[in-house]
Amino acid sequence: MFYGRVDVYWPDGPVESYRVNKAAVAVGRSTGNDIVLDTTSVSRYHIKFSFNEYQAQLEDLESANGTYVDGVRLPPHEPYLLRGGEEIQIGDIRLIYHPASAATELMVSEETTQRVVLSRATFRAELAGPDMAVAPGAHAQAVLTVENTSEAADHYFLEVDGLPKGWVRIDRVELTLDPGEAGQAVLSFKPLRRSETRPGDYPFVVRARARSKPAETIDVPAVLSVLPYSGFGMALDDERVLFGEPFKVYLHNQGNTPLTLDLGAVDPASALHIQFAAQRVQLGPGERQAVAGEVYPRHRRLWGGPVQREFFVIARSHDPSGFIAAVPGTVTERGLLPVWLPLLLIPLTMLGLFAVAMLGLWLLGSEKAAPPRAPVISVFTAAPDQVVVGEVVALSWAVDDVSSLALRVLHGGDEQVASVPADAVTHTMSFDESGRYTITLEAQGGGQVVTQSLTVSVRPAVALSVEVLGGAELVRNVSQEVQLTWEVRGARPYQGGYRIRVTGSDRTGDLLVSPMPLTGQQRVTVVPGSDQAEWLVTLYAEGYDGLVTSIVQKVPIVYPVCELRARQTVVRSGPGESYPALLPPQPPVGVTAGTLSYSPVARDPSGAWLQVPIGVQAQLGWVPLTDFVCTNFDPQRLMVTTAYPPPPATATPTSVSVSPTPFPTATALPATRAPANTPTSSPVPGS
């Protein structure tokens, strides 16, 4: 019988998978185990997995270094119930158990595995997986393979972007690879088992960056599919109830999808009448509700001592699991008349008997002629209660003893009334204007009216697109034009326009200020600084009641790249042949021309010299533009600087004789931070 799979993650990277076909599997260092882990950090007999038809259990066998499940140490010989996906740590080895259903899904043919391969000039990256949908709290994995296709050793940095914090872990975030060598990193996905973890597809990217050319990254796209899961809790506020006294049932949807429940009750003696303020309850993910209830006897006793009767509150779900949950309660029944009253009636005359009989008839009649019940609104919700203009809001409610219903919508002093059928439980509406709307549910019945209100916040709807003219990326320290296109609905009028503004991360003030039209296009000039990885553009639209909507668009920023194509050049301390050399002639002897690249930070006013960082300390030097071929930008749009010393009085010879001095023998690295003498002058627009 197949019970699942155990994945073993070694600290140096390899992953081993074991099929579990036995009801008991021992793991340890000794060869007598079913899974042998030959490492001194694992005890001879460390842990044991045991399985039956319904569940899997893990047991620590008094190991020296202990067994940890999701960071919590297990007591020896106390079985721990596994549901699948837990991280099990024994010594320096990490294990993950996949139950039979999940393990079967993983063992599909390679043709169905999610696999993406992307390449750059010097390396390639391949992502295999994640190859199954994962339930919150369970585990899935993917393998990223990076191959160095260049002719020099390089170091690679790995990261994941796009998933919530804590959902993914990479066992290796850095790789050092020789030419032609490939390395692997294992990505472990484990969405948090919380109601906020909504089911659906979560796009993300795995990013690989080479140290030699940090501007050239590979972003491998992938999708993590998260499954729905259900969980439910129910309790009475007090298990002991008195007749006629209200009680409450507390309900909690512990899953990540909406849950609809039908409430009911049974009593073994069929002597009770139990009713609830709402027979059907709708709970959002993680939502809690309290529903009121009352218990009455079907036939009231005239006299006698207290009698306890048992009943059960039952909740039936409408989700695919169709579960039934029950909680017990007891109700105490007392007679209408005291116990000693029959003894007192014995010596009474027939007149007294007649009076007692009349009293009993009156009490029975009063029970049957109960006054009309007032309508009850037990639930009134809006999902969602915060939307943008044009989005639909779903109103839902639970009512009892209602003859008619109406919805009153109040906004800005104006009220609109919508009639809905008395048996309706939902109603949808959308809003064409921003602001806060007060929505009141009005229920009539038995000659009485009850109301319940809620608030829906409607923000402006916004759309923003950003286009780099002449390319898809911005280049550091280079003046470029960007076209912004926007569309807004529901913004508040302001001075002939609307309360709309746009900011950019490259400046302290706004790119575009209020008032602005609801739709439009505008070109702006951008000069990204050396400390930015992305240029962020944010559009803000303010609606009525001070409600603001914002949208952020990101544009990647890359380093400027210029390849040294001259047979040999000299890096100087200033823009001119008269300045002294900072390095021996470049490229060094034995290095082919065209293999060195630099990231310029500025140019001189003439545009004939480029300022570049050199060496590990990113010292700034100057190289003639004619010795470069710049691949991803126009050198004349590079920002201008005059922050350099005047030329010396006597020209320095171009030929220098220098004893061996440290200098780069491979592609030069761009500066990771701005030096103290980074130019601060204003950018010069290109022609």
Side-chain angles (χ1 to χ4, degrees), residues 10 27 49 113 115 120 138-140 276 304 329 393 412 496 512 549 566 572 632 636 645 653 670 677-678:
W10 292 85
V27 181
F49 292 94
T113 301
R115 186 181 299 274
R120 279 284 191 179
H139 172 269
F276 298 95
V393 175
L512 305 174
T549 302
R572 301 186 177 277
N632 65 342
Q636 298 307 315
N677 58 345
T678 299

mmCIF file of all heavy atoms in Angstrom, residues 10 27 49 113 115 120 138-140 276 304 329 393 412 496 512 549 566 572 632 636 645 653 670 677-678:
data_model
loop_
_atom_site.group_PDB
_atom_site.id
_atom_site.type_symbol
_atom_site.label_atom_id
_atom_site.label_comp_id
_atom_site.label_asym_id
_atom_site.label_seq_id
_atom_site.Cartn_x
_atom_site.Cartn_y
_atom_site.Cartn_z
ATOM 1 N N TRP A 10 19.463 17.530 2.096
ATOM 2 C CA TRP A 10 20.788 17.555 2.698
ATOM 3 C C TRP A 10 21.308 18.985 2.751
ATOM 4 O O TRP A 10 20.958 19.823 1.911
ATOM 5 C CB TRP A 10 21.738 16.665 1.908
ATOM 6 C CG TRP A 10 21.400 15.211 2.027
ATOM 7 C CD1 TRP A 10 20.497 14.523 1.293
ATOM 8 C CD2 TRP A 10 21.942 14.279 2.964
ATOM 9 N NE1 TRP A 10 20.429 13.216 1.697
ATOM 10 C CE2 TRP A 10 21.315 13.035 2.721
ATOM 11 C CE3 TRP A 10 22.897 14.371 3.966
ATOM 12 C CZ2 TRP A 10 21.621 11.901 3.462
ATOM 13 C CZ3 TRP A 10 23.207 13.233 4.700
ATOM 14 C CH2 TRP A 10 22.569 12.013 4.455
ATOM 15 N N VAL A 27 13.807 5.834 10.523
ATOM 16 C CA VAL A 27 14.790 6.720 9.906
ATOM 17 C C VAL A 27 15.934 6.917 10.899
ATOM 18 O O VAL A 27 15.696 7.221 12.075
ATOM 19 C CB VAL A 27 14.174 8.080 9.535
ATOM 20 C CG1 VAL A 27 15.226 8.985 8.870
ATOM 21 C CG2 VAL A 27 12.970 7.906 8.626
ATOM 22 N N PHE A 49 8.107 6.851 11.345
ATOM 23 C CA PHE A 49 6.802 7.176 10.777
ATOM 24 C C PHE A 49 5.910 5.945 10.904
ATOM 25 O O PHE A 49 6.345 4.820 10.611
ATOM 26 C CB PHE A 49 6.909 7.537 9.287
ATOM 27 C CG PHE A 49 7.635 8.815 9.009
ATOM 28 C CD1 PHE A 49 8.996 8.815 8.732
ATOM 29 C CD2 PHE A 49 6.962 10.029 9.005
ATOM 30 C CE1 PHE A 49 9.667 9.985 8.465
ATOM 31 C CE2 PHE A 49 7.638 11.213 8.741
ATOM 32 C CZ PHE A 49 8.982 11.195 8.468
ATOM 33 N N THR A 113 4.808 19.039 -15.891
ATOM 34 C CA THR A 113 5.484 19.862 -14.890
ATOM 35 C C THR A 113 5.680 21.275 -15.410
ATOM 36 O O THR A 113 6.068 21.479 -16.559
ATOM 37 C CB THR A 113 6.840 19.240 -14.528
ATOM 38 O OG1 THR A 113 6.620 17.927 -14.019
ATOM 39 C CG2 THR A 113 7.554 20.070 -13.484
ATOM 40 N N ARG A 115 7.608 24.259 -16.219
ATOM 41 C CA ARG A 115 9.034 24.395 -16.471
ATOM 42 C C ARG A 115 9.264 25.605 -17.369
ATOM 43 O O ARG A 115 8.640 25.746 -18.416
ATOM 44 C CB ARG A 115 9.583 23.131 -17.126
ATOM 45 C CG ARG A 115 11.105 23.116 -17.290
ATOM 46 C CD ARG A 115 11.547 21.837 -17.971
ATOM 47 N NE ARG A 115 11.190 20.663 -17.199
ATOM 48 C CZ ARG A 115 11.929 20.146 -16.230
ATOM 49 N NH1 ARG A 115 13.081 20.697 -15.923
ATOM 50 N NH2 ARG A 115 11.526 19.082 -15.575
ATOM 51 N N ARG A 120 20.508 34.572 -20.563
ATOM 52 C CA ARG A 120 21.201 35.831 -20.818
ATOM 53 C C ARG A 120 22.499 35.503 -21.570
ATOM 54 O O ARG A 120 22.780 34.331 -21.866
ATOM 55 C CB ARG A 120 21.507 36.547 -19.504
ATOM 56 C CG ARG A 120 20.316 37.316 -18.932
ATOM 57 C CD ARG A 120 20.090 38.595 -19.678
ATOM 58 N NE ARG A 120 19.131 39.465 -18.980
ATOM 59 C CZ ARG A 120 18.769 40.649 -19.419
ATOM 60 N NH1 ARG A 120 19.291 41.121 -20.547
ATOM 61 N NH2 ARG A 120 17.899 41.387 -18.755
ATOM 62 N N ALA A 138 0.274 23.132 3.858
ATOM 63 C CA ALA A 138 0.952 22.017 3.206
ATOM 64 C C ALA A 138 2.150 22.547 2.421
ATOM 65 O O ALA A 138 2.468 23.728 2.450
ATOM 66 C CB ALA A 138 -0.010 21.249 2.308
ATOM 67 N N HIS A 139 2.809 21.654 1.677
ATOM 68 C CA HIS A 139 4.118 21.970 1.114
ATOM 69 C C HIS A 139 4.164 21.621 -0.367
ATOM 70 O O HIS A 139 3.576 20.638 -0.812
ATOM 71 C CB HIS A 139 5.193 21.168 1.874
ATOM 72 C CG HIS A 139 6.559 21.267 1.272
ATOM 73 N ND1 HIS A 139 7.010 20.385 0.325
ATOM 74 C CD2 HIS A 139 7.557 22.159 1.478
ATOM 75 C CE1 HIS A 139 8.245 20.708 -0.018
ATOM 76 N NE2 HIS A 139 8.595 21.773 0.669
ATOM 77 N N ALA A 140 4.832 22.478 -1.139
ATOM 78 C CA ALA A 140 5.169 22.195 -2.530
ATOM 79 C C ALA A 140 6.588 22.693 -2.761
ATOM 80 O O ALA A 140 7.128 23.462 -1.957
ATOM 81 C CB ALA A 140 4.194 22.876 -3.486
ATOM 82 N N PHE A 276 -34.041 29.957 16.464
ATOM 83 C CA PHE A 276 -32.878 30.837 16.345
ATOM 84 C C PHE A 276 -33.274 32.120 15.627
ATOM 85 O O PHE A 276 -34.214 32.139 14.814
ATOM 86 C CB PHE A 276 -31.745 30.146 15.579
ATOM 87 C CG PHE A 276 -31.233 28.905 16.244
ATOM 88 C CD1 PHE A 276 -31.720 27.655 15.885
ATOM 89 C CD2 PHE A 276 -30.278 28.988 17.241
ATOM 90 C CE1 PHE A 276 -31.253 26.519 16.496
ATOM 91 C CE2 PHE A 276 -29.807 27.852 17.869
ATOM 92 C CZ PHE A 276 -30.301 26.608 17.502
ATOM 93 N N GLY A 304 -44.271 20.798 39.925
ATOM 94 C CA GLY A 304 -43.213 19.805 40.033
ATOM 95 C C GLY A 304 -41.861 20.466 40.210
ATOM 96 O O GLY A 304 -41.685 21.676 39.999
ATOM 97 N N GLY A 329 -26.254 21.066 24.995
ATOM 98 C CA GLY A 329 -26.697 22.023 26.002
ATOM 99 C C GLY A 329 -27.789 21.391 26.856
ATOM 100 O O GLY A 329 -28.363 20.356 26.506
ATOM 101 N N VAL A 393 -21.069 45.625 -4.943
ATOM 102 C CA VAL A 393 -21.108 45.258 -3.524
ATOM 103 C C VAL A 393 -22.264 44.280 -3.330
ATOM 104 O O VAL A 393 -23.389 44.541 -3.781
ATOM 105 C CB VAL A 393 -21.300 46.493 -2.628
ATOM 106 C CG1 VAL A 393 -21.469 46.067 -1.174
ATOM 107 C CG2 VAL A 393 -20.132 47.438 -2.771
ATOM 108 N N GLY A 412 -24.248 61.914 1.045
ATOM 109 C CA GLY A 412 -24.220 63.343 0.762
ATOM 110 C C GLY A 412 -25.546 64.036 0.993
ATOM 111 O O GLY A 412 -25.870 64.996 0.286
ATOM 112 N N GLY A 496 -11.534 73.735 -11.240
ATOM 113 C CA GLY A 496 -11.667 73.513 -12.671
ATOM 114 C C GLY A 496 -11.152 72.170 -13.149
ATOM 115 O O GLY A 496 -11.234 71.865 -14.340
ATOM 116 N N LEU A 512 3.168 65.590 -11.419
ATOM 117 C CA LEU A 512 2.001 66.325 -11.907
ATOM 118 C C LEU A 512 1.172 66.694 -10.689
ATOM 119 O O LEU A 512 0.943 65.859 -9.806
ATOM 120 C CB LEU A 512 1.184 65.465 -12.882
ATOM 121 C CG LEU A 512 1.948 64.886 -14.086
ATOM 122 C CD1 LEU A 512 1.055 63.946 -14.880
ATOM 123 C CD2 LEU A 512 2.482 65.995 -14.982
ATOM 124 N N THR A 549 -7.608 56.939 -3.474
ATOM 125 C CA THR A 549 -7.129 55.727 -4.128
ATOM 126 C C THR A 549 -5.761 56.020 -4.729
ATOM 127 O O THR A 549 -5.537 57.112 -5.259
ATOM 128 C CB THR A 549 -8.087 55.271 -5.237
ATOM 129 O OG1 THR A 549 -9.374 55.062 -4.686
ATOM 130 C CG2 THR A 549 -7.610 53.970 -5.867
ATOM 131 N N ALA A 566 38.431 49.915 -27.708
ATOM 132 C CA ALA A 566 39.752 50.353 -28.156
ATOM 133 C C ALA A 566 40.786 49.271 -27.896
ATOM 134 O O ALA A 566 40.657 48.464 -26.967
ATOM 135 C CB ALA A 566 40.151 51.643 -27.438
ATOM 136 N N ARG A 572 42.100 58.058 -16.767
ATOM 137 C CA ARG A 572 42.760 59.238 -16.221
ATOM 138 C C ARG A 572 41.952 59.839 -15.071
ATOM 139 O O ARG A 572 40.775 59.520 -14.882
ATOM 140 C CB ARG A 572 42.979 60.281 -17.319
ATOM 141 C CG ARG A 572 43.834 59.759 -18.472
ATOM 142 C CD ARG A 572 44.161 60.830 -19.479
ATOM 143 N NE ARG A 572 45.043 60.291 -20.523
ATOM 144 C CZ ARG A 572 46.363 60.181 -20.408
ATOM 145 N NH1 ARG A 572 46.952 60.609 -19.289
ATOM 146 N NH2 ARG A 572 47.091 59.677 -21.380
ATOM 147 N N ASN A 632 23.302 50.367 -24.324
ATOM 148 C CA ASN A 632 21.901 50.499 -23.913
ATOM 149 C C ASN A 632 21.476 51.932 -23.617
ATOM 150 O O ASN A 632 20.475 52.145 -22.950
ATOM 151 C CB ASN A 632 21.619 49.605 -22.706
ATOM 152 C CG ASN A 632 22.391 50.027 -21.467
ATOM 153 O OD1 ASN A 632 23.374 50.768 -21.556
ATOM 154 N ND2 ASN A 632 21.963 49.541 -20.298
ATOM 155 N N GLN A 636 25.171 60.985 -25.009
ATOM 156 C CA GLN A 636 24.937 62.421 -24.910
ATOM 157 C C GLN A 636 23.798 62.748 -23.951
ATOM 158 O O GLN A 636 23.563 63.922 -23.655
ATOM 159 C CB GLN A 636 24.649 62.989 -26.306
ATOM 160 C CG GLN A 636 25.809 62.832 -27.273
ATOM 161 C CD GLN A 636 27.127 63.390 -26.705
ATOM 162 O OE1 GLN A 636 27.149 64.487 -26.131
ATOM 163 N NE2 GLN A 636 28.214 62.630 -26.854
ATOM 164 N N PRO A 645 39.181 68.221 -10.793
ATOM 165 C CA PRO A 645 40.195 69.283 -10.635
ATOM 166 C C PRO A 645 40.592 69.865 -11.985
ATOM 167 O O PRO A 645 40.406 69.227 -13.034
ATOM 168 C CB PRO A 645 41.358 68.560 -9.968
ATOM 169 C CG PRO A 645 41.196 67.133 -10.396
ATOM 170 C CD PRO A 645 39.712 66.891 -10.478
ATOM 171 N N PRO A 653 52.688 62.283 -19.550
ATOM 172 C CA PRO A 653 52.796 61.357 -20.696
ATOM 173 C C PRO A 653 51.736 60.267 -20.607
ATOM 174 O O PRO A 653 51.366 59.830 -19.526
ATOM 175 C CB PRO A 653 54.213 60.777 -20.543
ATOM 176 C CG PRO A 653 54.947 61.733 -19.667
ATOM 177 C CD PRO A 653 53.940 62.356 -18.775
ATOM 178 N N PRO A 670 29.901 47.832 -11.739
ATOM 179 C CA PRO A 670 29.386 49.166 -11.423
ATOM 180 C C PRO A 670 29.384 49.379 -9.930
ATOM 181 O O PRO A 670 29.285 48.435 -9.145
ATOM 182 C CB PRO A 670 27.950 49.128 -11.987
ATOM 183 C CG PRO A 670 27.599 47.691 -12.022
ATOM 184 C CD PRO A 670 28.883 46.948 -12.280
ATOM 185 N N ASN A 677 32.359 61.814 -4.165
ATOM 186 C CA ASN A 677 32.477 62.859 -5.164
ATOM 187 C C ASN A 677 31.591 62.601 -6.373
ATOM 188 O O ASN A 677 31.889 62.999 -7.479
ATOM 189 C CB ASN A 677 33.931 62.991 -5.620
ATOM 190 C CG ASN A 677 34.452 61.672 -6.196
ATOM 191 O OD1 ASN A 677 33.828 60.641 -5.991
ATOM 192 N ND2 ASN A 677 35.577 61.718 -6.905
ATOM 193 N N THR A 678 30.483 61.888 -6.167
ATOM 194 C CA THR A 678 29.535 61.682 -7.264
ATOM 195 C C THR A 678 28.997 63.018 -7.732
ATOM 196 O O THR A 678 28.585 63.843 -6.922
ATOM 197 C CB THR A 678 28.366 60.797 -6.795
ATOM 198 O OG1 THR A 678 28.902 59.538 -6.398
ATOM 199 C CG2 THR A 678 27.358 60.592 -7.910
#
